[in-house]
Amino acid sequence: MKRIKLKGRGVYQDYDGLKEDVFFESTTENGMTTNHIYYEIDGKGYGYTLEFANDLNEAEYQGRKVKLGKIMQGDVKKFKVYVKNKGIQTKNVGMNSFEYKLDEKVDETKLLDLVKKLNDDPNVHGILCQLPLPKHLNEDMIINTIKPDKDVDGFHISNVGLLNTGQKSMVPCTPLGCLMLLREFVGNLEGKKATVIGRSNIVGKPMSQLLIEESCTVTVVHSKTKEIEKVCSQADIIVAAVGIPELVKGDWVKKDAIVIDVGINKTDKGIVGDVAFDEVSKVAKALTPVPGGVGPMTIACLLKNTIECFKRSQKK
Ligand code: NAP
């Protein structure tokens, strides 16, 4: 089995051709010669963060610095890796990124007042309210209080409606990042059979919508789906967003499928995805590693969306 790390755009625009070239180099594993070659899709390697950071600098030249207001509740130490990375990266690229840390028991009115204050501040271009919120808060109401034009996460009902009707909207960062990776690797997605595992509002549902817009034939599976492995094994593309370590096994995956692993799960052996990487790499044509695949794309898309919000504010 041979692993090819893809670090950089354009390298494998015609990956079928590339496969022919490297086929002869197939190596031996455990004494057995195998011809299977898979591509590891490295989210960091694409340099999107840097590309969007350049856009950010342009935005700054207009005399106003892009400002992102991030609202976090509870013990920040408990947040998952990608949440922490959002803070670090946005600052690294020079964004004016402010964290408003609120107590886990914060009163709903106080939180709504903060959202309204950020909505009304012309110097704040994007607002992000880190989910999940503590149980006593009405998550929908809080998200829908954020001005749609400042909604960098694309979770506001107006943005969800626009996305679902194929109109220009703020698109949730993680599915947008997954789509960018798929477009890089596959090119035209039209007619591909795609299975999205998970139906959350933040990943699964918007991901399925984006793939429908790309003219894929989309199936969404979830915890109540029967014979999930059979459904998955029909797919040309699998996007796994579940939150169960290594749920997707080798026999769930069709030979030469493209697998995007959104999961980030802390385990005794470190951070792993929702896909059993070792098994799946033996059958898939390409898959994203965890960490390093989708995570960096989420951050890059957060920059992209924040800059988009900034540009919208300049047009008013
Ligand atoms: P979520 O809200 O908990 O949703 C999980 C989904 O998985 C639900 O739709 C659930 O089905 C489904 N599910 C649960 N058990 C299943 C099973 N045995 N078989 C099939 N489907 C099952 O999670 P999320 O917010 O979408 O996040 C999913 C994963 O992605 C997590 O590991 C999270 O940490 C990670 N994540 C990563 C990034 C990133 O930047 N890389 C961003 C966001 C999330 P039901 O609807 O039936 O309950």
Side-chain angles (χ1 to χ4, degrees):
M1 191 166 72
K2 185 172 175 66
R3 178 177 75 163
I4 301 175
K5 278 202 165 210
L6 296 166
K7 286 182 178 276
R9 270 178 276 171
V11 178
Y12 49 88
Q13 288 294 331
D14 55 348
Y15 64 94
D16 278 321
L18 185 61
K19 181 176 166 181
E20 295 276 304
D21 288 346
V22 292
F23 217 68
F24 302 106
E25 292 174 31
S26 55
T27 51
T28 58
E29 194 182 68
N30 301 331
M32 302 260 296
T33 305
T34 74
N35 286 330
H36 186 68
I37 296 167
Y38 76 93
Y39 298 83
E40 195 174 300
I41 306 178
D42 174 348
K44 257 188 213 155
Y46 290 112
Y48 277 114
T49 308
L50 290 175
E51 187 175 299
F52 296 141
N54 287 340
D55 257 12
L56 182 72
N57 289 335
E58 268 178 42
E60 279 177 314
Y61 290 142
Q62 295 168 26
R64 293 176 69 191
K65 199 163 165 122
V66 178
K67 186 169 171 182
L68 173 67
K70 293 197 274 75
I71 304 172
M72 340 267 278
Q73 298 79 22
D75 182 2
V76 178
K77 281 190 222 123
K78 275 195 269 173
F79 284 122
K80 294 195 175 171
V81 189
Y82 63 91
V83 176
K84 290 180 190 158
N85 283 345
K86 277 183 195 172
I88 298 166
Q89 296 270 0
T90 44
K91 282 190 182 131
N92 278 355
V93 298
M95 201 174 268
N96 205 352
S97 170
F98 278 82
E99 278 171 17
Y100 299 85
K101 291 179 187 152
L102 303 177
D103 191 84
E104 192 149 22
K105 293 184 185 132
V106 64
D107 177 62
E108 194 164 85
T109 319
K110 196 172 163 194
L111 177 50
L112 285 171
D113 285 347
L114 173 60
V115 172
K116 285 177 195 155
K117 196 177 122 201
L118 297 177
N119 276 344
D120 294 341
D121 184 343
N123 295 316
V124 174
H125 308 102
I127 303 171
L128 179 161
C129 187
Q130 190 57 55
L131 304 181
L133 292 176
K135 294 255 179 307
H136 69 284
L137 299 171
N138 182 338
E139 200 165 276
D140 288 342
M141 184 169 70
I142 290 157
I143 291 170
N144 291 327
T145 304
I146 296 173
K147 261 190 191 168
D149 276 353
K150 293 191 179 188
D151 171 31
V152 289
D153 268 332
F155 295 157
H156 189 287
I157 190 76
S158 308
N159 282 318
V160 175
L162 289 168
L163 178 66
N164 288 359
T165 49
Q167 300 179 67
K168 194 169 162 48
S169 67
M170 298 306 301
V171 179
C173 303
T174 301
L176 179 58
C178 295
L179 179 66
M180 287 164 81
L181 291 179
L182 284 169
R183 279 194 188 138
E184 285 291 345
F185 191 76
V186 183
N188 185 4
L189 298 171
E190 194 179 297
K192 301 280 179 207
K193 284 187 203 153
T195 295
V196 178
I197 315 178
R199 55 174 165 176
S200 70
N201 288 341
I202 69 169
V203 192
K205 281 182 195 152
M207 186 74 243
S208 61
Q209 199 55 49
L210 289 171
L211 291 168
I212 289 170
E213 283 303 313
E214 296 290 315
S215 297
C216 291
T217 303
V218 182
T219 307
V220 180
V221 296
H222 45 76
S223 69
K224 307 290 183 287
T225 301
K226 298 205 172 32
E227 300 189 315
I228 194 165
E229 23 341 336
K230 264 198 196 163
V231 182
C232 291
S233 66
Q234 312 272 312
D236 304 312
I237 294 167
I238 294 178
V239 180
V242 186
I244 299 180
E246 303 184 328
L247 174 79
V248 179
K249 305 287 187 261
D251 59 1
W252 291 35
V253 177
K254 185 168 89 173
K255 188 172 178 323
D256 287 342
I258 316 293
V259 182
I260 304 289
D261 189 353
V262 178
I264 300 180
N265 307 292
K266 266 190 193 162
T267 67
D268 294 343
K269 60 175 186 179
I271 291 182
V272 302
D274 291 341
V275 175
F277 193 96
D278 289 348
E279 283 185 27
V280 171
S281 60
K282 291 190 171 84
V283 277
K285 179 170 274 178
L287 73 163
T288 56
V290 177
V294 173
M297 292 302 291
T298 298
I299 314 262
C301 291
L302 174 64
L303 298 186
K304 179 179 163 48
N305 282 357
T306 310
I307 294 161
E308 171 67 26
C309 289
F310 174 84
K311 287 181 178 162
R312 286 182 184 197
S313 75
Q314 302 298 288
K315 283 184 193 144
K316 285 183 178 160

